Amino acid sequence: MEDDLFAGQGDTVDEAVADMREGVKFFIETSKEKGFPYKII
């Protein structure tokens, strides 16, 4: 598992998804603060 794409993002799929969502939320907030454009698909 250590070499998997999502290694270190949670012990379960749900934890990995939650971690990914937090990362996206952080990206959006940071983009807004710095005035960078972002696109939500």
Side-chain angles (χ1 to χ4, degrees):
M1 170 105 182
E2 295 169 356
D3 296 328
D4 289 346
L5 177 63
F6 298 107
Q9 293 186 341
D11 293 332
T12 67
V13 172
D14 291 334
E15 288 178 11
V17 169
D19 184 67
M20 181 184 66
R21 287 183 176 164
E22 285 297 316
V24 170
K25 181 179 173 184
F26 175 76
F27 169 75
I28 291 171
E29 290 172 354
T30 302
S31 294
K32 285 179 181 179
E33 288 174 7
K34 296 188 181 234
F36 296 132
Y38 65 92
K39 182 178 180 181
I40 300 176
I41 300 172

